[in-house]
């Protein structure tokens, strides 16, 4: 699962390796990570993807959504859990898994 925020950043104006994530589950800090954890630089991960796809005659197109990689390991979620992804000055995202 992924969730896109409303805000956008210019990757040419931002050191993507220094973007920090603090991940909270039910208000408890459970993980953290830096952009540098994504193959050293998130742009390196996208470049690897583009080169790998080219081997199959496939290319990335303008407007394609590319998830470069995760700043945290995936963690299990259950109904009722609330996660906060805090990206510092870039903002935060709260997701709650509700019971049906």
């Amino acid at each position: 699962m992924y969730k896109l925020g409303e805000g956008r950043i210019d990757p040419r104006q931002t050191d993507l390796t220094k973007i920090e994530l603090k991940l909270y589950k039910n208000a408890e800090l459970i993980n953290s990570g830096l952009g540098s954890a994504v193959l050293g630089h998130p742009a390196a991960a996208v470049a690897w993807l583009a080169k790998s796809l080219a081997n199959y005659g496939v290319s990335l197109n303008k407007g394609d959504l590319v998830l470069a990689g995760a700043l945290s390991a995936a963690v299990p979620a259950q109904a009722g859990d609330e996660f906060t992804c805090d990206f510092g000055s870039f903002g935060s995202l709260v997701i709650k898994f509700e019971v049906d």
Side-chain angles (χ1 to χ4, degrees), residues 74-98:
V75 295
Q78 297 178 354
D81 284 341
E82 182 176 281
F83 289 86
T84 301
C85 304
D86 181 355
F87 292 96
S89 63
F90 295 102
S92 62
L93 172 72
V94 177
I95 298 174
K96 183 162 186 171
F97 291 83
E98 296 182 3

Side-chain angles (χ1 to χ4, degrees), residues 25 38 67:
K25 179 178 180 182
V38 183
L67 303 177

Side-chain angles (χ1 to χ4, degrees), residues 3-4 32 36 54 60 88 90 93:
K3 171 76 173 142
L4 297 178
S32 63
S36 60
L60 296 174
F90 295 102
L93 172 72

Side-chain angles (χ1 to χ4, degrees), residues 35-59:
S36 60
V38 183
L39 288 181
H41 193 291
V46 175
W48 173 87
L49 174 62
K51 289 177 185 176
S52 297
L53 289 173
N55 291 332
Y56 298 98
V58 178
S59 63

